[in-house]
């Protein structure tokens, strides 16, 4: 049990969250363009 606690305790969660949000922001751009194309350019 100590191995699991020590492994998850050493994970740098701030870096993981920052990378996750950067990835979501980068994915959001093409998604918006794709939705605009589907709707014929009308928001």
């Amino acid at each position: 049990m100590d191995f699991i606690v020590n492994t998850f305790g050493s994970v740098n969660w701030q870096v993981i969250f920052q990378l996750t949000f950067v990835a979501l922001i980068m994915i959001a751009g093409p998604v918006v363009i794709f939705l605009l194309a589907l709707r014929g350019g009308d928001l």
Side-chain angles (χ1 to χ4, degrees), residues 2-16:
D2 287 339
F3 172 75
I4 296 173
V5 172
N6 289 336
T7 301
F8 284 108
S10 64
V11 173
N12 194 348
W13 292 107
Q14 184 177 0
V15 171
I16 293 175

Side-chain angles (χ1 to χ4, degrees), residues 10-26:
S10 64
V11 173
N12 194 348
W13 292 107
Q14 184 177 0
V15 171
I16 293 175
F17 286 128
Q18 285 180 348
L19 290 175
T20 302
F21 283 112
V22 168
L24 289 174
I25 291 169
M26 291 178 67

Side-chain angles (χ1 to χ4, degrees), residues 21-40:
F21 283 112
V22 168
L24 289 174
I25 291 169
M26 291 178 67
I27 291 171
V31 167
V32 169
I33 294 172
F34 180 73
L35 291 175
L36 277 172
L38 282 180
R39 296 177 53 116

